[in-house]
Amino acid sequence: MVTPYGIKFSVHIITSHFGNLVAKVCEKLLTRGPLTLQLLIRFTELNSLQVKNSLLILIQHNCVQAFSAEESGGIANKQTPTQYLVLFDNILHRLRFPKFLEIVAQELDENCAELLEGLLQHGRLTQEQIYERAKSIKSGDCADQSGVQEHFRKLVNDRFIERCPAPEPFIAESTPEETPAKKRGAKATKLVEVKKTLEQRVLEEAAVMEAQRFSIMEDLETDIDAEKSKDSSSIVRLGEKRKGDLLELDGDFSFNNKEVTLWRANFEEFLRCLRHKACVESVRARLDDGAAIVLKALLKATRGAEKKVKMENSVPLSLDSIFEEVMKSEAGRTMTLDRVRASLDQLGCPSSMGIDDSYSIDLKKIIELSQNEEVESIVLNRYGRDGYRVFRLLSKAGHLLETDKISEMTFVEKKDTPKILYKLWQDEYLHMEKMVVNTKQFLLWKVNKSILCEHVLDEMYHAALNLSLRSTHEMEQHKELLNLPAGQCTGPMEKKRLWLRSVRIYLVSSLLKLDDAIMLFHDF
Amino acid sequence: MSRLQGPSSLKRKRPDSNSPSGSLTEHERILYDVIRSKQDMGIWTRDLKREANLPDNVVAKSLKSLLTKKLIKEVVNIQNKGRKHLMAAEFEPSKEISGGDWYVDGSLDTEFIDFLKDQFVKIIYKQRVATLEGILDVIRRSGILKVEITTQQIQEIVRVLVLDDKVMEVKSNGMGEFDSIPVGKVCFKCTNKAGLKGEPKVGAMASIPCGVCPRISYCTPDGIISPSTCVYYTKWLDF
């Protein structure tokens, strides 16, 4: 779901990370769908070099994927123009880098996190560049190549980093509604849909084969070869080289045809971790610690077997294996088999399931409950206790209910109910239908989950943008205070400085928390 | 509920029907009969005037007299509180007029409802897992209520507790805490966060100003309402 405020927020992120020019290119791609270089130049009204450089930056940071598509009825010989597809999700992931680093620091160690940090900072790097960076940071003293290699291997084994996808996949002729070159019509919803299917196709085409995606071996050789033929290891330079041929640049960039393998952070794996974490925390709040421990152990054991992030059910695991996994964790060591079984029961797995005695937890349900909780919390705070009750009734019912019936079932005053319903409807939290029976008009209401989720998500993007803008505003306002050397601050000045510090922490941590909720609706 | 002999007896103006109405004038009698024929639904004064087909001043005078004789009463019609609604004294307003068991004089008896909600949460909390019958049993034995309460009414209250997220509905599996309850029976448990007075967890969105902002749809980065000029933010960051 790419909503209007989603676009504004992601453009804001790009602006603050890479500046206005890059953001302008990014915005055009977000609003208009995939474009060729020529069209981008025309729409952005920037010169060709500016657009090219912006694209290079976006590609380097995995925010844009180039591809070429077969044109419908096109002549076979004609070269198809390269198009650029913006990856909305990857732009938002930029906010989550601290979370990704924390995961690696927890699951592996600080050294691995440091390696990952380099990749997050630079978008894509060769193995050689990663090692170079590690050496320069450690300033030569204890940076032995084998140690860094070991950390690198750990990251790859745990799938936290992967090989970059194909630079320019070729998309075979698609069905008419998916044709990317088609001028995008007025209907925004359709645009999103079309883009989705195309985005998926491009990403699928570009994806590295599963077997190669996390393999290091052959890469080492190529890398050493590459090193010999290379003059410097400047990152941007390398990115330019690589993208040189995609952009069909005319001789400005000398590029080397040698195949180099680039690595990048595997966002998918990080999202999987974050999703699991969200599920476990939700279960802990709703059920108890026991259920959370069991779920955590089960998800940890089956993480490698998950095929996509949005798994509806966890990968089936036998009771014995689950018990074994639970025993491995410190918190689960005191649990008995019966206790584990009871927790699985709480998690919605009756003990007599299937013949092979394997358990699979309904993760989609857990996510849905968390989503409901988030929305209900907004409703409670915005529309009060009565509104909360009315909303929950409709959300649970899942079908149309009449005003008076709602009033009766929720114990809300008959005269207040229509007002509450109307307010909720006006803010797009409810769907309303009119029904006329014998000239008397009845109003029927219901919660339309998918429309509601999109609306809430858009509000969240809006809120995230606001948090970020306010943060910038506060820092702007007190610029001179920030520029003062620490020693010169005394009395009220010092107080103000401390206040500003808390404001910053408050806003940033709120944004991180809000981002968890955004992921809940968008990525999980 | 109907204590009426039959509609035919109403149409004939029998002077000996009962003692207080015996002394009615002809106009009063006509009006009284119309009102009484509506039984527990009562009638709106304007409809009454139309049906009785009498001049306004006569109607007003006669109604006043009927009211003082306590033969008719004014009731609040929940559908339209502004309208003057009349009913024969011997009837109790129907559910459509009164709003049901939980209404007193046309408004919701929130005090009573809140009292019951409070009591029920306590009972469910104490029993860990409770059925409707179990709650009814405790209520009856404790004698905290002076009026009789039905399982239906208990169900209505518990349903609202579920909507309040204080209580959750679970099905008995016959094991553990459910061992005294038949398998498949619907029971109720207190939710984790409820405790006795708990509020649901405040979500990420609801804990920042924008999450509860009534004006969020008017807010734009450079608009009159904008995050940099937002008063809610200023208040929020005032610490």
Side-chain angles (χ1 to χ4, degrees), chain A residues 5 285-287 345 373-374 377-378 380-382 385 388-389 392-393 396 404 409-411 413-414 459-460 462-463 466-467 469-470 473-474 499 502-503 506-507 510 513-514 517, chain B residues 78-79 99 102-103 107-108 113 117 157 159-160 162-165 173 192-193 199-208 210-212 216 219-220 227-228 230 233-234 236-237 239:
Chain A
Y5 267 99
R286 223 159 17 85
L287 303 171
D345 198 63
E373 220 167 59
E374 183 67 37
S377 167
I378 299 174
L380 176 65
N381 284 281
R382 221 184 269 183
R385 177 60 63 184
Y388 175 73
R389 220 181 287 142
R392 266 176 65 95
L393 173 73
K396 275 171 182 272
D404 274 355
M409 292 178 83
T410 52
F411 287 164
E413 280 278 6
K414 287 210 162 121
E459 278 191 351
M460 284 179 178
H462 192 168
N466 283 356
L467 274 174
L469 286 173
R470 182 74 190 205
H473 170 77
E474 293 291 346
W499 169 81
S502 338
V503 163
Y506 218 52
L507 289 168
S510 292
K513 219 174 118 196
L514 181 62
Chain B
I78 188 76
Q79 310 292 346
W102 306 106
Y103 279 79
S107 50
L108 201 61
I113 292 168
K117 275 163 78 174
I157 296 278
R159 188 177 56 212
V160 169
V162 171
L163 292 180
D164 277 334
D165 204 20
N173 59 4
N192 275 356
K193 46 214 148 194
E199 286 289 310
K201 191 186 104 200
V202 180
M205 180 72 171
S207 55
I208 58 170
C210 299
V212 290
I216 186 159
C219 172
T220 49
S228 32
C230 177
Y233 260 106
T234 311
W236 188 54
L237 295 173
F239 43 72

Side-chain angles (χ1 to χ4, degrees), chain A residues 355-373:
Chain A
I355 8 161
D356 54 349
D357 192 30
S358 68
Y359 289 82
S360 168
I361 314 279
D362 188 347
L363 298 177
K364 199 175 157 213
K365 183 91 202 150
I366 297 176
I367 295 294
E368 266 177 22
L369 286 173
S370 303
Q371 288 175 343
N372 290 348
E373 220 167 59

Side-chain angles (χ1 to χ4, degrees), chain A residues 284 289-290 292-294 296-297 300 322-336:
Chain A
R284 196 188 305 280
D289 282 339
I293 292 166
V294 171
K296 191 174 178 182
K300 196 175 173 194
I322 296 173
F323 188 58
E324 212 172 286
E325 287 299 325
V326 171
M327 286 303 111
K328 277 188 206 162
S329 64
E330 198 171 330
R333 221 157 281 157
T334 53
M335 289 179 90
T336 61

Side-chain angles (χ1 to χ4, degrees), chain B residues 51-160:
Chain B
E51 265 187 54
N53 203 11
L54 293 170
D56 275 6
N57 56 343
V58 177
V59 172
K61 201 176 144 201
S62 309
L63 285 182
K64 208 171 168 191
S65 151
L66 283 170
L67 279 169
T68 37
K69 284 177 187 161
K70 298 218 162 70
L71 284 171
I72 59 168
K73 60 184 174 185
E74 258 186 61
V75 290
V76 183
N77 182 354
I78 188 76
Q79 310 292 346
N80 203 329
K81 288 189 187 169
R83 289 181 179 180
K84 203 168 170 185
H85 212 80
L86 296 168
M87 188 177 287
E90 67 251 46
F91 293 107
E92 279 305 315
S94 73
K95 207 180 157 206
E96 286 84 357
I97 300 298
S98 71
D101 295 335
W102 306 106
Y103 279 79
V104 173
D105 297 333
S107 50
L108 201 61
D109 191 355
T110 41
E111 206 177 312
F112 183 52
I113 292 168
D114 288 344
F115 172 75
L116 285 180
K117 275 163 78 174
D118 213 38
Q119 291 299 323
F120 286 9
V121 172
K122 280 183 189 153
I123 293 169
I124 296 171
Y125 190 72
K126 236 187 242 168
Q127 298 199 337
R128 285 184 59 76
V129 179
T131 59
L132 293 177
E133 293 76 16
I135 298 171
L136 181 65
D137 194 44
V138 177
I139 290 281
R140 282 208 178 125
R141 272 189 289 129
S142 67
I144 41 170
L145 285 187
K146 288 178 188 69
V147 288
E148 196 50 35
I149 190 165
T150 62
T151 327
Q152 167 70 26
Q153 284 172 315
I154 293 181
Q155 190 171 7
E156 285 176 33
I157 296 278
V158 173
R159 188 177 56 212
V160 169

